[in-house]
Amino acid sequence: MASAAYSTIKLFSGSSHPELAALIAKRLRIPLARANIHQPPSGETKVTIVESVRDYDVYILNTGAGSVNTHLMELCIMIHACKIASAKRITAIIPHFPYARQDKKDKSRAPITAKLVANMLREAGCDHVITMDLHASQIQGFFDVPLYAEPSMIQYMRDHIDVKNCVIVSPDAGGAKRATSIADRLNVDFALFHKERKKANEVSRMVLVGTVTGKIAVLVDDMADTCGTLGLAARNLIEAGATKVYAFATHGILSGPALKVISESGMEKLVITNTIPQTENSEKCEKIEVIDVSHVLAEVIRRSHFGESVSYLFHEVPYSNGIA
């Protein structure tokens, strides 16, 4: 039975990350609401909301993983189904926001796809969006609750790394703000890499700005995709005299040769969150460690439902001490 305090909350899960939805429901002590999602041979998505949502505060979780376009369409259909079924309020929980890297018009005729996705969600009937560590700060204006994994990562560093002897490193200039924020909170030094490119998507040389000699180097980024930059940065840090190298990223996309790159890079661990399902990747690569962020998302739902401030979570997140 659901707790009386949460009796007007319905939490639905799409097909992209049911494990995370189950963890959130467990922390809130509520059952997952029932919805049937079916992919017929025609390729269309069919959604049936099994139970009543009239006058309920509805939360729907789907993340940008796997078949991104299918899951995005699935989310929009679920939102629309709840909207026309008279839900009181609908909040989309998208831990890893799809198309977040397509956030600006960087060349002629380029689409701003992140804005398009935000518009799709709004038109479907979504009232609020909860997401984590957006790729660029300028797209935070598209969303109501942009969360950060930084507090959970900082707590992990304090628990597992000798932070007094570490230096926080950004793998590129674009992530400097994120890295300096963590360095300031840990009261440690900061360094960054300047990437020189032969051509687009091909890094010819990485120049380290800062000193890591005799230190534990901690690379931080918002996402780890093919891990080419992180792998090259790790090798350069070891050559520059770092005693150990750790890498932290919020979203572990880990596509293509990523697992091979991680294994051969020389880094001790790649620490990521479970905004994207990681069970399979963790089994294939022993260097991957996963931080559970379900407690953060559960607390956001609680605070949102009861009208409490969410800004507290930007800096102080109750750490579960659990590795997912």
Side-chain angles (χ1 to χ4, degrees):
M1 290 291 291
S3 167
Y6 302 117
S7 60
T8 56
I9 290 179
K10 294 276 188 181
L11 173 62
F12 290 92
S13 172
S15 59
S16 65
H17 204 343
E19 299 92 345
L20 180 58
L23 286 169
I24 294 169
K26 184 178 179 181
R27 290 181 181 278
L28 291 172
R29 298 181 181 178
I30 61 173
L32 271 176
R34 291 174 297 151
N36 293 331
I37 301 165
H38 181 52
Q39 299 284 345
S42 65
E44 297 178 354
T45 298
K46 185 176 181 180
V47 172
T48 304
I49 304 299
V50 177
E51 52 195 80
S52 173
V53 294
R54 182 178 294 274
D55 290 331
Y56 276 86
D57 191 8
V58 173
Y59 295 83
I60 305 171
L61 186 144
N62 234 13
T63 194
S67 303
V68 173
N69 293 334
T70 299
H71 294 147
L72 177 58
M73 194 65 199
E74 185 181 287
L75 177 61
C76 289
I77 294 171
M78 292 180 77
I79 291 169
H80 176 67
C82 291
K83 187 71 173 180
I84 62 176
S86 302
K88 183 178 181 180
R89 184 177 68 165
I90 302 169
T91 302
I93 305 173
I94 315 173
H96 176 234
F97 193 82
Y99 294 98
R101 285 178 282 188
Q102 298 183 35
D103 56 1
K104 58 183 178 293
K105 193 175 178 70
D106 56 354
K107 56 187 175 183
S108 179
R109 296 176 297 280
I112 308 175
T113 316
K115 178 60 176 173
L116 171 64
V117 173
N119 290 344
M120 286 170 61
L121 295 169
R122 185 191 65 219
E123 292 301 318
C126 185
D127 297 301
H128 301 286
V129 174
I130 296 171
T131 187
M132 291 198 79
D133 275 3
L134 290 162
H135 183 63
S137 58
Q138 66 262 28
I139 58 173
Q140 288 179 5
F142 300 170
F143 311 102
D144 303 278
V145 188
L147 296 172
Y148 301 93
E150 180 182 303
S152 295
M153 289 187 170
I154 287 173
Q155 187 60 53
Y156 180 96
M157 291 175 195
R158 285 174 172 153
D159 290 346
H160 297 86
I161 299 173
D162 179 13
V163 293
K164 293 180 181 178
N165 190 40
C166 80
V167 55
I168 306 299
V169 184
S170 173
D172 54 40
K177 186 175 180 181
R178 180 184 304 104
T180 53
S181 175
I182 293 174
D184 289 345
R185 292 187 63 182
L186 291 174
N187 194 27
V188 297
D189 291 335
F190 158 75
L192 65 82
F193 280 101
H194 168 66
K195 289 191 285 191
E196 295 181 355
R197 298 181 184 272
K198 286 181 181 177
K199 56 184 178 181
N201 298 324
E202 185 177 328
V203 178
S204 63
R205 195 163 70 106
M206 295 183 75
V207 180
L208 179 64
V209 182
T211 303
V212 297
T213 305
K215 298 275 190 177
I216 299 170
V218 180
L219 284 159
V220 294
D221 210 347
D222 65 319
M223 61 180 72
D225 192 350
T226 60
C227 293
T229 298
L230 285 177
L232 183 57
R235 288 192 291 273
N236 276 292
L237 288 168
I238 292 169
E239 290 173 6
T243 56
K244 291 181 181 179
V245 177
Y246 291 84
F248 285 75
T250 304
H251 309 297
I253 300 170
L254 305 182
S255 64
L259 298 182
K260 182 181 179 183
V261 171
I262 294 164
S263 298
E264 297 174 354
S265 66
M267 68 176 74
E268 299 291 315
K269 285 185 183 296
L270 170 64
V271 183
I272 51 183
T273 73
N274 60 341
T275 57
I276 293 173
Q278 298 296 344
T279 304
E280 190 176 329
N281 290 326
S282 297
E283 290 173 353
K284 289 180 179 177
C285 181
E286 62 182 15
K287 289 189 176 183
I288 293 175
E289 197 151 320
V290 184
I291 297 175
D292 179 20
V293 292
S294 64
H295 58 294
V296 181
L297 296 169
E299 181 65 8
V300 168
I301 291 172
R302 189 194 70 77
R303 286 173 176 265
S304 173
H305 180 67
F306 291 109
E308 299 176 16
S309 172
V310 177
S311 60
Y312 166 83
L313 299 176
F314 293 174
H315 304 290
E316 300 295 335
V317 174
Y319 184 57
S320 66
N321 286 323
I323 304 302

